[in-house]
Amino acid sequence: VIITQAVTRGFPAVKDGELPLYILVDDSHLPEAFAVLGFAFYMQPMLMPLLKEMPRGEEGVALSETAVQVVLYGVACMAYGTVGVFGAAIFGQSTQSNIMVNDILPPGWPTLALYAGLLVYLCCGMVTTHYALRASIEALLWGPHAPFTWTRQVTETLLILAACLAV
């Protein structure tokens, strides 16, 4: 949606010079922001439960490293970077920190559909977040060596989704 809107509107902030895409700005806060985004939002809640399923030794380290790189570069940089650049290309200096606060679509059904899509994404699309939460709940309630059962897995997942929808 944000890419389509930027293209349709003709990149107004870039045309006005408000967003200089071709000038590299040296911001000393960028490495810190990237580290906080990468570790706090993605790695901390998701990596620890996944580590117990990785093979031991060098093979596990290599798989973990690849997973971290895919998530950080593939998801964090590409998805959030794309939305950030295209959002700034539309709104320029008036871009809000939460892109959903900007007037991306006209009021009414289009905006409602966008928010509904975001809600579905947050509830169901973050599979690794659900996995991490479910792994933590299992360790807390049944111990770290509880045997796998489909009934418990499905029940826990449905309860987590219901809690997310209720919020």
Side-chain angles (χ1 to χ4, degrees):
V1 172
I2 195 78
I3 294 170
T4 304
Q5 288 295 318
V7 171
T8 303
R9 296 180 189 189
F11 300 95
V14 176
K15 282 184 181 176
D16 297 345
E18 207 174 333
L19 178 65
L21 287 179
Y22 304 108
I23 299 172
L24 183 61
V25 177
D26 183 19
D27 187 352
S28 62
H29 292 55
L30 189 59
E32 179 183 351
F34 185 77
V36 168
L37 173 73
F39 179 74
F41 187 67
Y42 284 102
M43 295 302 106
Q44 183 191 22
M46 297 175 201
L47 186 61
M48 296 306 152
L50 292 175
L51 285 178
K52 73 178 185 177
E53 294 194 6
M54 294 292 179
R56 299 275 182 223
E58 293 296 320
E59 183 184 5
V61 171
L63 282 172
S64 299
E65 184 178 350
T66 302
V68 167
Q69 290 171 350
V70 167
V71 169
L72 276 179
Y73 299 124
V75 177
C77 291
M78 296 304 292
Y80 288 105
T82 301
V83 169
V85 168
F86 281 91
I90 296 171
F91 302 107
Q93 295 296 323
S94 62
T95 303
Q96 300 295 318
S97 61
N98 179 354
I99 194 68
M100 297 300 288
V101 176
N102 295 289
D103 293 326
I104 300 170
L105 295 172
W109 286 106
T111 300
L112 184 62
L114 181 63
Y115 277 103
L118 180 65
L119 178 66
V120 169
Y121 163 74
L122 291 174
C123 290
C124 301
M126 298 287 287
V127 174
T128 52
T129 301
H130 287 278
Y131 174 80
L133 180 58
R134 192 175 65 233
S136 298
I137 289 171
E138 283 187 3
L140 178 67
L141 297 178
W142 292 281
H145 304 294
F148 175 86
T149 65
W150 277 109
T151 303
R152 190 177 71 240
Q153 295 289 311
V154 171
T155 303
E156 290 169 352
T157 300
L158 290 174
L159 288 172
I160 291 168
L161 288 172
C164 290
L165 287 169
V167 171

